[in-house]
Every structure is written in structure tokens, then in C-alpha cells.
Amino acid sequence: MTSPDSRIEVPAEPTAFPLVEGATALIVIDMQRDFLLPGGFGESLGNDVSLLQRVVEPLAGLIAAARAVGVPVIHTREGHLPDLSDCPPAKLHRGAPSKRIGDPGPSGRILVRGEYGHDIVDELRPLPGEVVIDKPGKGAFYATDLQQVLADAGITQLIVTGVTTEVCVHTTTREANDRGYECLVVSDCVGSYFPEFQRVGLEMVKAQGGIFGWVASSDDVVAALASLSARTTTPA
């Protein structure tokens, strides 16, 4: 049973989020060059990638705050094997992008593992030892070992960040919710190419008393982590 002293209340919607010391991980979803930088898959779909780049600065601050207090940081990357054997036709041939998955682009083959564009942007580069989950789908649990990683670390709560809000962030949050994890989505550390999808995506998470989880700002989460740090460094 979690003692009251191991909890920190994070101001959030629809209610305060009870962050549990030692049971929380920060998950950073798909902050990849192919989604955030010109010439990648995101732009090939006709999107304004600058809308996602706004997430980088607040997310860098949140990652730093998590690392400072020992909260595990888990990164994900969406992408496929070089032969595209794990990319179903329903995904590969969907829509009419200017470049499809596997096509050559300025940062290598689009959304192919091992290519420069598939990797995480420099500002958010994982540290040695941090977990990086390579996933073929939208959700971070599908065809990955994420659940085992979380179970082995005793994680029951996820601070959810990354892109895009209505696709990979939402899918992962829903998957996590079904598996019993408590999810806190950080509003300015998730992003969408569509402002309306961003707004509605966050509303859906916290609707009906938090049907999928909680929503908070990075300022409030960072402040809570700072108070955790102060608690652990204050002499008895």
C-alpha cells in the first residue's frame, strides 16, 4: 500500500494527480526527425511541422526535471524494418502522401529503423541507459516489450508526452489505461499538426471524470518533481 508521504499532488484536470514516488515513469513518444523536421513523413502528408517543434522546449525541461529526481525516462520511435515486413499494406498504402514509408528522403528512408530521420531530435536525445522502444504501430504497447519493462521497474503511473496528441499519444494512453496504468498527459509537451485535434484530444483524456487519465501543464509537473527532490534531500 502506498503511504501518503510517498505521494505528491500535481494540479491537474479533472482532479489533482497523485504522483507516486518510485512508481512513475516519463514516456516520450515519437519525437523523431521524420515527424518534426522538414522532409520527413509528417511534412510528406502536407503538415506544418513547426507546430510539433513547439513541444521540444517544454519537453526538454520536463525530461531534465525527471532525470534530476530519478524518474525513468522511456523513449519511443515509430518505424519499420528495412524490408517493411512489419508494415501492413493498410498502413503502407494509405492516403496520398508525397513520400511513402520506405521512400528515400533527405534524412534517409522514411520511417525506417536505423535511418537518420527515424531517430529522435538532437534536443531530446536519450541518455545512455535510457530505454528506447521501437514500435511498428501507433501504440507503444503493440508488438513491443514496454509492458515488461514497466513491470520490471515497478511502474504503475505514466507521465505521457510526445506526438501526435490524437494518434500515438492517444493510442498509447488508451492502451495504458486498459492495462491499469494511471496516465498524466502533459498538455504543452504533446503536439498535433491540427490545433483543433490538440484541443479535443486533451479534452477526451480528461472527460467524464478522467476516462483515460489526467491532464496537467509542464510547469505544474516540473514543480511537483522539484518538491519531490526537495523532500528527498531535506535532512530528517
Side-chain angles (χ1 to χ4, degrees):
M1 182 175 178
T2 303
S3 71
D5 289 343
S6 68
R7 293 177 178 267
I8 292 192
E9 297 292 310
V10 182
E13 294 181 287
T15 60
F17 180 80
L19 189 151
V20 179
E21 182 181 353
T24 305
L26 171 62
I27 186 164
V28 182
I29 299 172
D30 298 0
M31 294 297 289
Q32 298 161 249
R33 298 183 184 104
D34 268 336
F35 294 128
L36 273 77
L37 300 185
F41 189 63
E43 191 174 75
S44 79
L45 296 168
N47 297 313
D48 177 1
V49 294
S50 70
L51 294 172
L52 300 195
Q53 293 169 13
R54 298 173 185 173
V55 173
V56 173
E57 183 176 356
L59 181 49
L62 178 57
I63 291 172
R67 287 170 174 162
V69 296
V71 170
V73 180
I74 299 171
H75 308 261
T76 77
R77 300 181 297 200
E78 182 179 346
H80 298 279
L81 299 171
D83 65 1
L84 304 184
S85 59
D86 60 347
C87 184
K91 180 178 183 180
L92 182 62
H93 301 302
R94 184 179 301 130
S98 61
K99 288 186 178 293
R100 293 193 180 276
I101 295 170
D103 284 351
S107 297
R109 295 177 65 205
I110 300 289
L111 284 185
V112 170
R113 296 180 188 180
E115 300 286 346
Y116 183 77
H118 172 259
D119 213 350
I120 294 162
V121 295
D122 292 343
E123 299 93 328
L124 306 176
R125 184 182 296 115
L127 292 182
E130 289 182 343
V131 173
V132 179
I133 300 288
D134 281 317
K135 60 186 184 67
K138 309 304 185 192
F141 289 89
Y142 170 68
T144 75
D145 61 353
L146 177 59
Q147 185 156 350
Q148 190 61 54
V149 167
L150 298 175
D152 290 347
I155 299 300
T156 61
Q157 298 183 322
L158 295 176
I159 300 172
V160 185
T161 66
V163 298
T164 61
T165 305
E166 74 279 8
V167 184
C168 295
V169 170
H170 240 266
T171 303
T172 298
T173 300
R174 290 169 183 242
E175 288 180 331
N177 177 73
D178 280 348
R179 288 164 170 79
Y181 295 96
E182 295 178 319
C183 295
L184 175 62
V185 179
V186 187
S187 58
D188 54 328
C189 291
V190 296
S192 173
Y193 301 118
F194 306 97
E196 183 65 6
F197 290 180
Q198 170 80 356
R199 183 189 69 78
V200 173
L202 292 172
E203 289 290 338
M204 291 173 70
V205 170
K206 64 187 180 180
Q208 300 181 74
I211 194 165
F212 296 122
W214 291 256
V215 175
S217 71
S218 63
D219 285 346
D220 286 332
V221 179
V222 168
L225 294 173
S227 69
L228 174 61
S229 177
R231 175 189 293 178
T232 58
T233 56
T234 300

